Amino acid sequence: MKQNTSKEPVAIAEADELEIAAFLERVWSEDGLAERTLQAYRQDLEALSRWLATRERMLRTARREDISAFHGSQPVAVRSMARRQSAFRRFYASMARNEPGFEDPTLLIERPKTPRSLPKALAEREVEGLLHAPDISTTLGLRDRAMLELMYASGLRVSELVELPLAALNPRQGVLRVTGKGGKDRLVPVGEVALEYIQSYLTQARPVLAKGRQPPALFLSKRGEGMTRQMFWTLVKRHAISVGINSKRISPHVLRHSFATHLLNHGADLRALQMLLGHSALSTTQIYTLVAKEGLKRLHAQHHPRG
């Protein structure tokens, strides 16, 4: 095959661009994939398209040996390899479904084995310390306390928390209407303590942050605009460090993971937890049972005389 020796990036064939765009549109409408996942799929498919062009092939005409050779020529970490293969499998499976007789070149390619990492959860006493970290005598401190209380009480994703509109809260019923992945709505209970702090925030802090305007977001930055994921991550990290929690043990989803783990520890039903978290598949929720088991093992090893 003809090899490209130029350092200039190989252009993507127009036909490949159209195939990629059509595929991304399909998986977005059918599965509601996150924008970051769609972007990663696009980058992986474009990289494959450029590499195939050096072998005078296109995505549609790629064979199994081409896909395997691409993986061998582009070494990446195991997780990146798994994501890349996922993009290719979905792309060609979609093509095979829509075109009878099309042979999927990824069918016989072995999938990489990825280590299953468990979500990181804080101990209940650590969560209590984190929740009490903000100074609620200040406007921003009251906002932070309300956000932390709500995330731990309801198990929201970070994106769901910062994108909550004011209209999503029903204080009389004590529930939130949350729009999750794929645009799916669910009702989530807030809890009495979190609701009290949200009400205090709404009456004391939010009007100050809104500066006389009527922004739609529930939680506002000091500029009077909606919060971002980065803003929330920054405040979680700052408050965690202030109460002695190692910053390496903090992630944007740490309160969501703690919410799920602590509910299971106290006997929550797995399917109920699935509904609260907004997981489409029970298998996604089941990983928290492993977190709970690991915690029990540590307690046994630490406190049992023969641990």
Side-chain angles (χ1 to χ4, degrees), residues 52-68:
L52 288 169
T54 67
R55 297 163 69 94
E56 298 182 344
R57 290 195 183 280
M58 299 171 62
L59 290 174
R60 176 174 291 276
T61 59
R63 300 173 302 187
R64 180 172 63 85
E65 50 266 37
D66 294 319
I67 306 295
S68 296

Side-chain angles (χ1 to χ4, degrees), residues 179-251:
T179 302
K181 288 185 176 180
K184 297 177 181 178
D185 285 351
R186 68 184 190 277
L187 289 179
V188 179
V190 176
E192 292 183 6
V193 176
L195 189 58
E196 287 178 6
Y197 279 102
I198 293 172
Q199 294 282 44
S200 296
Y201 159 76
L202 289 175
T203 57
Q204 301 173 38
R206 192 176 184 278
V208 177
L209 296 171
K211 300 178 175 65
R213 294 177 292 137
Q214 298 295 327
L218 174 58
F219 294 109
L220 303 178
S221 69
K222 57 185 177 182
R223 295 180 180 178
E225 302 168 348
M227 298 278 290
T228 66
R229 291 167 54 92
Q230 292 75 18
M231 288 178 186
F232 183 71
W233 165 225
T234 299
L235 72 86
V236 168
K237 188 174 182 179
R238 183 177 71 250
H239 291 311
I241 292 173
S242 74
V243 292
I245 299 174
N246 192 320
S247 61
K248 293 181 179 179
R249 299 183 57 231
I250 295 294
S251 75

Side-chain angles (χ1 to χ4, degrees), residues 67-113:
I67 306 295
S68 296
F70 172 76
H71 288 317
S73 69
Q74 308 280 325
V76 291
V78 175
R79 291 192 182 279
S80 296
M81 172 69 77
R83 187 209 65 220
R84 176 193 288 173
Q85 287 201 17
S86 175
F88 297 167
R89 284 196 305 272
R90 295 187 75 156
F91 175 78
Y92 284 109
S94 176
M95 194 173 286
R97 282 196 306 271
N98 292 308
E99 300 179 26
F102 179 83
E103 293 188 10
D104 185 342
T106 67
L107 284 180
L108 299 179
I109 296 178
E110 185 177 355
R111 302 186 181 194
K113 295 182 179 179

Side-chain angles (χ1 to χ4, degrees), residues 12 16-17 19-24 27 37-52 58-59 67 70 83-92 95 106:
I12 299 173
D16 280 358
E17 285 187 339
E19 297 275 17
I20 293 171
F23 162 70
L24 294 176
V27 294
T37 303
L38 294 174
Q39 185 60 30
Y41 279 9
R42 178 186 297 279
Q43 291 172 354
D44 291 333
L45 289 166
E46 288 180 349
L48 176 61
S49 173
R50 291 190 180 94
W51 187 86
L52 288 169
M58 299 171 62
L59 290 174
I67 306 295
F70 172 76
R83 187 209 65 220
R84 176 193 288 173
Q85 287 201 17
S86 175
F88 297 167
R89 284 196 305 272
R90 295 187 75 156
F91 175 78
Y92 284 109
M95 194 173 286
T106 67

Side-chain angles (χ1 to χ4, degrees), residues 93-303:
S94 176
M95 194 173 286
R97 282 196 306 271
N98 292 308
E99 300 179 26
F102 179 83
E103 293 188 10
D104 185 342
T106 67
L107 284 180
L108 299 179
I109 296 178
E110 185 177 355
R111 302 186 181 194
K113 295 182 179 179
T114 56
R116 192 175 192 183
S117 60
L118 298 181
K120 297 177 182 179
L122 297 176
E124 292 183 34
R125 58 176 176 76
E126 291 178 309
V127 172
E128 282 296 320
L130 178 60
L131 295 179
H132 286 84
D135 180 1
I136 60 174
S137 67
T138 67
T139 298
L140 294 181
L142 185 53
R143 179 205 63 190
D144 294 356
R145 179 69 181 265
M147 294 184 78
L148 292 171
E149 289 280 359
L150 177 58
M151 191 166 189
Y152 180 58
S154 302
L156 302 182
R157 298 179 178 92
V158 178
S159 57
E160 294 169 347
L161 178 73
V162 299
E163 292 171 7
L164 278 174
L166 184 60
L169 177 67
N170 185 327
R172 185 172 58 84
Q173 295 184 358
V175 296
L176 283 170
R177 181 174 295 277
V178 179
T179 302
K181 288 185 176 180
K184 297 177 181 178
D185 285 351
R186 68 184 190 277
L187 289 179
V188 179
V190 176
E192 292 183 6
V193 176
L195 189 58
E196 287 178 6
Y197 279 102
I198 293 172
Q199 294 282 44
S200 296
Y201 159 76
L202 289 175
T203 57
Q204 301 173 38
R206 192 176 184 278
V208 177
L209 296 171
K211 300 178 175 65
R213 294 177 292 137
Q214 298 295 327
L218 174 58
F219 294 109
L220 303 178
S221 69
K222 57 185 177 182
R223 295 180 180 178
E225 302 168 348
M227 298 278 290
T228 66
R229 291 167 54 92
Q230 292 75 18
M231 288 178 186
F232 183 71
W233 165 225
T234 299
L235 72 86
V236 168
K237 188 174 182 179
R238 183 177 71 250
H239 291 311
I241 292 173
S242 74
V243 292
I245 299 174
N246 192 320
S247 61
K248 293 181 179 179
R249 299 183 57 231
I250 295 294
S251 75
H253 283 307
V254 68
L255 287 179
R256 176 172 164 88
H257 297 325
S258 301
F259 161 86
T261 304
H262 297 169
L263 275 180
L264 282 178
N265 287 342
H266 288 276
D269 177 76
L270 196 61
R271 288 204 175 273
L273 181 59
Q274 176 191 0
M275 295 177 62
L276 290 171
L277 292 171
H279 288 161
S280 58
L282 186 62
S283 58
T284 307
T285 315
Q286 285 174 330
I287 193 170
Y288 289 106
T289 64
L290 300 179
V291 179
K293 287 177 182 177
E294 287 299 314
L296 291 175
K297 287 180 182 178
R298 287 194 297 270
L299 282 174
H300 183 275
Q302 182 178 354
H303 299 291

